[in-house]
Amino acid sequence: MPASWTQNYYQLVFSTKHREPVITTDMAERLYPFLGGIAKDIGCQLIAVNGMPDHLHLLVRFAPDVPPAVMAREVKARSSRWIRGTFTREFAWQRGYGGFTVSRSALDDVETYIRRQAEHHRTMSFQQEFLSLLRRHGVEFDERYVFE
């Protein structure tokens, strides 16, 4: 077969180091398009991005030759360098991330969920949300080590 046709969708979730609330509205307004540029540069398409001062959610369609771990590494590394050069030298993302495959039939729901982060976090912390995502997707984990 001379080509590959895929629909690989992924929800990527990660927080700032120590879940510090450092992502300001001004930073987010410039960061979100920058993340779209990173995705495009590595052959992916950013469908939705949103977050809170301490974490981000991205919905990405990724190319068949880009492993999710590479996508996460590139997004975090490049955006971290950009934030340190543009806003504050005292910035870092957490080690690791949450990554969840998304079926085509669930795209609209996941996109809506991501766009409504502020509303959602009126009643739930990032830690509660992240543990809920892990459980909902059947990811095995030891809660003692999730937020190290």
Side-chain angles (χ1 to χ4, degrees), residues 109-127:
D109 291 341
V110 174
E111 185 173 357
T112 298
Y113 177 83
I114 289 172
R115 295 201 187 282
R116 293 184 176 166
Q117 281 294 292
E119 177 182 319
H120 179 71
H121 283 288
R122 286 188 200 122
T123 60
M124 182 179 280
S125 70
F126 169 69
Q127 290 90 331

Side-chain angles (χ1 to χ4, degrees), residues 9-11 62 99-103 137:
Y9 299 101
Y10 205 65
Q11 181 182 5
F62 61 99
F100 311 100
T101 55
V102 178
S103 70
H137 289 276

Side-chain angles (χ1 to χ4, degrees), residues 67-128:
V70 169
M71 178 181 52
R73 181 186 68 226
E74 290 296 313
V75 165
K76 290 174 63 182
R78 292 184 192 191
S79 64
S80 183
R81 280 192 302 271
W82 179 77
I83 291 169
R84 285 193 304 270
T86 305
F87 291 98
T88 175
R89 293 201 172 279
E90 302 298 318
F91 181 84
W93 296 115
Q94 72 172 39
R95 289 181 48 226
Y97 62 93
F100 311 100
T101 55
V102 178
S103 70
R104 176 66 183 99
S105 61
L107 273 182
D108 290 342
D109 291 341
V110 174
E111 185 173 357
T112 298
Y113 177 83
I114 289 172
R115 295 201 187 282
R116 293 184 176 166
Q117 281 294 292
E119 177 182 319
H120 179 71
H121 283 288
R122 286 188 200 122
T123 60
M124 182 179 280
S125 70
F126 169 69
Q127 290 90 331
Q128 292 168 319

